[in-house]
Amino acid sequence: MLVCSSRLFSLIISHHPPPSCIRFPRQTFWSSLVSAASASKRLRSMDPPKTAEAPDIPTTKPPPTPSAESMSPAPTDAAADEEQPRLEGLLPGETVVKEGKAAILFPSANEVFYNPVQEFNRDLTCAVITEFARDLLAQRGVKVVVPGEKERVVVSLSEEANEADVQTEEKNGAEEPAVTVTAGEKCERGLRVLEGLAASGLRSVRFALEVPGLRSVTANDFSTKAAALIARNAQYNGVNHLLQASCRDASMLMYEMRGKKERYDVIDLDPYGSPASFLDAAVQAVSEGGLLCITCTDMAVMAGNSGETCYSKYGSVSIKAKYCHEMALRIILHSLEQRAGVYQRYIQPLLSVSVDFYIRVFVRVFTGQATVKNSASKQALVYNCVGCGSFHLQRMGRRTSNGKHMKYSPATGPPVGPECEHCGQRHQLGGPIWAEPIHNLPFVQKVLSAVSGNPSRFGTSKRIEGMLSMVTEELEDVPLYYTVDSLSSTIHCNTPPLLQFRSALLHAGHRVSLAHACKNAIKTDAPPAVLWDIMRCWEKANPVKREKLSETSPSFKILASEPSLEACFTVREDANPQSRKRHLTRFQENPQAFWGPKARAKAGILPTFLHPSLTFCS
């Protein structure tokens, strides 16, 4: 029993944290070791299961062990191979869930740990990290190879730009690095990845199997039983040479890895609820130019239901408005920038998406005292009218170029009066939020090209392609958006067709785009006065019964003014974006009944594993 316990302990604990820094509840930890060791002993004594003779064992087969050619040499001595055998059987009641190339063991009662709707999240993360590794490792003389990937052709709406990109790719390909790596192979010059809240380890196993150019993957969870499951899943999928299970407090683990030589290249945090308590440690533990992947599922807080709670967690007041989902993205980016600035670091967003019931951001973190001074001018307060929904942004700071030097000064404002100039109602004050671009379009184009050129790589490739296509079409320098239905609802008229409204803005000389965060969104650089003039023109052609409008209502005051421009609703060719013309899967339909965030784990119902947020994030 002591031998089995020591073997399992070596699987659970990562090699880098010193044993003296690890504290476990004695009774819980040793009881889990005893039960896990007993299970391991039973598994070693079992013959390989046969479907015909053992109908009670699920028929899902584990993926084959990577060959010696596609895997870097694991420990060469035979004793090491015997200490980490490939699991050939399942415990009673266990099931295997397949996603991507991974096959994950789950206790039958532990359904809360697998949410098939989140497959899009994991697929997108694998795609983003692959392109990040491709760019970073090219600087280290390593070429990343993805099976099934053809010649790189950047997806672009312009044929001229497409040809230029192809020429650039061919030119870059002429100087190929000497070292080539594929997925499942350990790369000594590769990336070190940390999944701080790993639960079953599904995401980390997929990283090890599907993302090339990795040196190590640390799958951490505070629950000792969850860590034991991670170790089993790593062994079951044959990725022990890449993946180490760790049983630590995620924040303490990241704080201990703040040294420049110990930092992780990629840190992924996907908690149950808010990641706020982990952000301070994460911005310190990521390497120079490293990648942070953050998920927030506390959308009720970030979308305006509890502005005071949002301020306590993220340092920003959320507003209940039509643009709440994009504002949530900008709130988490503001929080990351603010916490990174304490340590003379700053962020560079690569991709920020609002999906289903959560938001997901991918940002790089750099160090630079001079650049950190720009932080105030990147943040803005939001003035939102409670009557008509018009909004204005007020930058927190101002920077002006003074020759070779940059001059910083406080911003002037406010941009609005005591009452809304359109409807006479008061304003709400929200923010501060990140007011700079939330995407890096060249990087998004690379991810889009990789997914489009290899659609069989991910199960949700069509949706990724549609989502990223919309992202590339967004106006990157225009924060937040309006919705056509809310504008119509304000003046109580029928809703103009989307293409006609977009055409009216284009005819008026303004830029306009859709937004991935909302189906009926309109992002435009036109001021609110132009929007209401267009709506007044639309109302003249589709009149409302003004005698039924209250004289104090926003609709009465808006329609009481004559439009200062003559809107043209003739549909233009460029009013319909390419993603809409190509009928891409831009907004996912409900994949199943009662879909959404799964229920929080309960110890009484799920005694085997607990989500890390229940243990140390309460």
Side-chain angles (χ1 to χ4, degrees):
M1 180 62 68
L2 291 177
V3 174
C4 295
S5 300
S6 63
R7 291 173 180 172
L8 186 61
F9 187 84
S10 64
L11 286 174
I12 297 176
I13 306 300
S14 175
H15 65 281
H16 48 73
S20 60
C21 297
I22 304 175
R23 301 181 179 89
F24 301 103
R26 295 181 180 178
Q27 185 175 357
T28 304
F29 175 64
W30 288 111
S31 62
S32 65
L33 282 182
V34 170
S35 60
S38 301
S40 178
K41 183 176 180 180
R42 290 198 304 272
L43 288 173
R44 284 194 297 270
S45 63
M46 293 173 60
D47 293 328
K50 298 181 181 179
T51 304
E53 299 178 1
D56 57 328
I57 295 177
T59 59
T60 308
K61 297 180 181 180
T65 306
S67 63
E69 295 179 357
S70 63
M71 184 189 304
S72 65
T76 53
D77 53 35
D81 294 337
E82 293 179 0
E83 288 184 1
Q84 298 182 356
R86 176 71 179 274
L87 295 179
E88 297 293 345
L90 305 177
L91 295 177
E94 278 188 334
T95 59
V96 176
V97 175
K98 283 193 172 184
E99 183 181 290
K101 293 184 178 180
I104 303 299
L105 302 173
F106 283 93
S108 58
N110 196 18
E111 297 175 357
V112 70
F113 271 99
Y114 180 69
N115 188 353
V117 179
Q118 286 278 41
E119 181 181 1
F120 174 82
N121 185 331
R122 292 182 281 266
D123 286 352
L124 181 62
T125 303
C126 289
V128 169
I129 296 179
T130 298
E131 294 310 304
F132 173 74
R134 194 191 305 273
D135 291 345
L136 194 62
L137 295 186
Q139 303 172 11
R140 305 178 184 178
V142 179
K143 181 181 180 181
V144 168
V145 177
V146 178
E149 192 172 62
K150 300 178 182 178
E151 291 294 328
R152 301 298 306 278
V153 177
V154 176
V155 175
S156 176
L157 303 181
S158 171
E159 294 182 359
E160 296 180 359
N162 202 16
E163 292 176 0
D165 291 331
V166 172
Q167 292 176 0
T168 302
E169 292 290 340
E170 291 176 353
K171 181 178 180 180
N172 294 339
E175 301 177 359
E176 294 186 359
V179 181
T180 301
V181 293
T182 58
E185 176 183 353
K186 185 172 183 178
C187 176
E188 293 301 329
R189 285 181 277 179
L191 307 182
R192 296 177 62 243
V193 181
L194 168 67
E195 184 186 5
L197 312 167
S200 64
L202 168 59
R203 190 181 299 256
S204 293
V205 171
R206 289 198 59 184
F207 290 164
L209 291 173
E210 301 177 32
V211 179
L214 302 184
R215 183 169 65 175
S216 66
V217 179
T218 302
N220 178 75
D221 198 286
F222 191 66
S223 167
T224 55
K225 296 180 180 179
L229 178 62
I230 295 171
R232 289 196 65 216
N233 281 322
Q235 197 171 20
Y236 190 80
N237 287 270
V239 292
N240 283 334
H241 62 294
L242 276 177
L243 194 154
Q244 301 90 33
S246 170
C247 188
R248 304 287 308 281
D249 180 300
S251 293
M252 292 304 299
L253 174 59
M254 288 187 286
Y255 278 130
E256 291 176 4
M257 305 302 289
R258 291 176 296 174
K260 292 185 178 181
K261 295 183 179 181
E262 299 174 332
R263 293 172 177 170
Y264 295 99
D265 299 296
V266 179
I267 296 180
D268 190 302
L269 296 175
D270 188 2
Y272 189 103
S274 172
S277 59
F278 308 106
L279 299 184
D280 182 77
V283 297
Q284 298 181 70
V286 69
S287 62
E288 182 66 15
L291 180 66
L292 284 182
C293 314
I294 310 292
T295 300
C296 303
T297 58
D298 55 335
M299 291 304 295
V301 171
M302 304 190 75
N305 283 354
S306 302
E308 69 285 352
T309 304
C310 186
Y311 182 81
S312 66
K313 290 183 176 181
Y314 303 103
S316 179
V317 177
S318 58
I319 295 178
K320 187 180 292 185
K322 292 296 182 179
Y323 49 75
C324 61
H325 292 97
E326 182 178 328
M327 187 173 183
L329 288 170
R330 296 182 179 275
I331 285 175
I332 184 62
L333 292 175
H334 158 76
S335 184
L336 286 168
E337 172 79 359
Q338 189 177 46
R339 298 178 195 228
V342 176
Y343 309 101
Q344 302 299 311
R345 311 194 83 183
Y346 61 95
I347 67 169
Q348 181 188 93
L350 295 182
L351 175 64
S352 309
V353 291
S354 172
V355 185
D356 299 330
F357 53 85
Y358 61 91
I359 57 176
R360 180 78 162 165
V361 296
F362 302 88
V363 302
R364 297 186 70 179
V365 181
F366 297 91
T367 305
Q369 185 176 6
T371 308
V372 170
K373 293 182 179 181
N374 298 331
S375 181
S377 60
K378 296 177 182 178
Q379 321 300 320
L381 296 173
V382 181
Y383 289 85
N384 181 76
C385 175
V386 299
C388 64
S390 301
F391 61 84
H392 298 78
L393 268 65
Q394 169 66 65
R395 295 277 179 161
M396 300 288 291
R398 183 174 61 177
R399 67 179 187 268
T400 54
S401 178
N402 186 12
K404 295 183 179 180
H405 304 283
M406 192 70 68
K407 182 180 179 181
Y408 300 92
S409 60
T412 57
V416 297
E419 296 178 348
C420 176
E421 60 178 317
H422 307 292
C423 68
Q425 300 292 318
R426 69 185 188 278
H427 290 92
Q428 290 177 320
L429 184 62
I433 63 172
W434 177 265
E436 294 293 298
I438 60 177
H439 314 293
N440 184 303
L441 292 186
F443 180 82
V444 176
Q445 286 282 8
K446 292 180 181 179
V447 180
L448 176 58
S449 299
V451 175
S452 302
N454 191 9
S456 61
R457 184 184 178 193
F458 301 116
T460 61
S461 291
K462 289 185 177 180
R463 190 183 181 192
I464 294 177
E465 183 179 358
M467 175 71 73
L468 296 186
S469 296
M470 287 201 69
V471 166
T472 60
E473 295 169 347
E474 288 185 5
L475 295 177
E476 58 179 339
D477 59 339
V478 178
L480 308 182
Y481 53 81
Y482 294 91
T483 60
V484 180
D485 53 343
S486 64
L487 294 174
S488 304
S489 177
T490 299
I491 61 175
H492 302 288
C493 73
N494 58 355
T495 304
L498 183 63
L499 293 185
Q500 291 189 27
F501 192 85
R502 284 171 54 91
S503 298
L505 286 168
L506 293 172
H507 283 301
H510 298 282
R511 296 179 298 146
V512 61
S513 76
L514 300 180
H516 79 277
C518 182
K519 191 172 184 178
N520 298 321
I522 293 290
K523 291 178 77 73
T524 178
D525 57 357
V530 173
L531 296 176
W532 290 123
D533 278 344
I534 293 176
M535 292 305 300
R536 291 186 186 103
C537 294
W538 176 259
E539 189 273 337
K540 287 183 179 295
N542 303 270
V544 300
K545 297 181 178 179
R546 302 197 182 192
E547 62 274 10
K548 293 186 177 182
L549 301 178
S550 171
E551 294 184 359
T552 59
S553 66
S555 57
F556 183 87
K557 293 191 175 182
I558 291 175
L559 295 177
S561 302
E562 289 295 321
S564 59
L565 63 84
E566 188 66 30
C568 177
F569 293 98
T570 304
V571 176
R572 292 175 42 149
E573 181 66 24
D574 55 349
N576 197 15
Q578 290 294 324
S579 62
R580 198 168 183 267
K581 287 182 180 179
R582 295 165 57 192
H583 302 288
L584 298 178
T585 306
R586 301 176 299 160
F587 301 97
Q588 184 76 4
E589 297 181 359
N590 291 354
Q592 60 188 32
F594 309 110
W595 73 282
K598 296 297 185 180
R600 183 184 289 266
K602 296 181 180 179
I605 298 178
L606 304 173
T608 310
F609 298 97
L610 293 176
H611 195 281
S613 63
L614 288 177
T615 309
F616 60 90
C617 190
S618 58

